[in-house]
Amino acid sequence: MNRLLTAGSILLAIPAALSPLPLSSQVPTVEEMRARCGRAMAPGADIGDLKALRFRESNAGSAAATTWEIVRPNLVRKEREGAWVLLFDGERAGYLQGPPREDGSLEGPHLVPPEDWHHFEMDIAIHIPAFLDHPAEYRGGVSVEGRPAHVLSVRLPMGGVATYALDAESFLPLQVELPGWGFVRRLEDYREVGGFLLPHRYRDPSDASRTAVLTSLLVNPETDPARFRFPAVIR
């Protein structure tokens, strides 16, 4: 949903910061890459057991924070206190509250235009690699800041595209790109949470001010299904 909240310039499918890199060793299949990434991200568990995430996200230099709740493969709720609550229930997307009116009050529940619904799937793909849940295509080798990497591209069910660069040695994701938004982030500060290795910093390689930091990250928190449902009557 970032396109509705922030603006970004459109970048190439493979950013200039990356350069094609022929990998000397035999290239694994997509399925092997998916399996190796799963083992790398879940050294003390099974990646299939990663069901949900809850965390707070703030951008560099900003006091505002957004609370995220993600349930694989296709539920996301984002909330900024006093401003808005956004929801994707796997089929439709919209506001449960907000955005603010001129008088400061918040609009009631309403859906956003259907042509924007796919952006919520892309939101999810930032934080949970989409190739864990959807088919992927191999797009060759690149170098990410000098580190050899494999590129996997995923076309999401509603039509969005997410592209990942996986470290050719560890198979942890080094970068996520959403070409439709001009969004590129390097995945950094991996930490173990509940048996899973997860990035806690998302850095824009072209603009350090667009660096997101995750705090209060929980894996598989208890979730109330009602929090991911729109009212029965909604405009």
Side-chain angles (χ1 to χ4, degrees):
M1 191 61 187
N2 302 60
R3 192 174 71 90
L4 298 178
L5 303 175
T6 61
S9 59
I10 301 300
L11 304 179
L12 296 176
I14 295 180
L18 304 184
S19 57
L21 181 72
L23 299 171
S24 58
S25 59
Q26 184 177 357
V27 175
T29 67
V30 171
E31 287 303 318
E32 289 171 337
M33 291 184 198
R34 181 183 290 115
R36 292 191 190 187
C37 179
R39 290 194 294 270
M41 292 183 64
D46 184 315
I47 195 62
D49 293 332
L50 178 60
K51 305 294 187 182
L53 298 175
R54 181 184 296 146
F55 55 86
R56 287 175 63 80
E57 179 183 69
S58 58
N59 292 321
S62 173
T66 302
T67 300
W68 290 63
E69 296 177 70
I70 299 173
V71 178
R72 285 175 68 184
N74 60 357
L75 302 179
V76 62
R77 179 184 171 118
K78 298 168 59 178
E79 181 171 356
R80 184 165 293 176
E81 186 174 356
W84 41 260
V85 179
L86 288 161
L87 178 65
F88 179 59
D89 67 0
E91 297 180 353
R92 303 175 300 169
Y95 288 87
L96 290 179
Q97 293 180 3
R101 301 184 179 95
E102 290 186 4
D103 64 4
S105 64
L106 300 181
E107 291 190 39
H110 62 280
L111 299 176
V112 299
E115 58 268 25
D116 288 323
W117 294 355
H118 73 283
H119 290 289
F120 287 79
E121 284 190 317
M122 294 162 70
D123 264 340
I124 297 168
I126 297 171
H127 297 290
I128 296 182
F131 57 79
L132 296 177
D133 294 307
H134 305 291
E137 294 183 7
Y138 181 61
R139 294 302 177 114
V142 295
S143 176
V144 180
E145 297 183 347
R147 299 171 68 175
H150 297 288
V151 177
L152 293 180
S153 181
V154 180
R155 181 166 292 279
L156 300 166
M158 287 188 170
V161 174
T163 300
Y164 302 86
L166 306 184
D167 188 291
E169 182 176 350
S170 71
F171 283 85
L172 286 173
L174 297 176
Q175 177 170 284
V176 57
E177 180 188 1
L178 304 174
W181 289 350
F183 177 101
V184 180
R185 294 294 185 272
R186 300 282 163 80
L187 279 56
E188 302 173 335
D189 191 17
Y190 274 87
R191 305 180 197 175
E192 188 275 330
V193 182
F196 299 92
L197 273 179
L198 300 167
H200 284 62
R201 183 170 59 243
Y202 292 73
R203 175 175 58 87
D204 185 333
S206 66
D207 185 349
S209 69
R210 293 189 290 188
T211 297
V213 176
L214 309 190
T215 57
S216 306
L217 177 58
L218 298 177
V219 171
N220 297 336
E222 290 188 15
T223 56
D224 181 355
R227 290 178 61 77
F228 297 90
R229 288 198 292 262
F230 287 108
V233 178
I234 186 170
R235 60 184 176 89

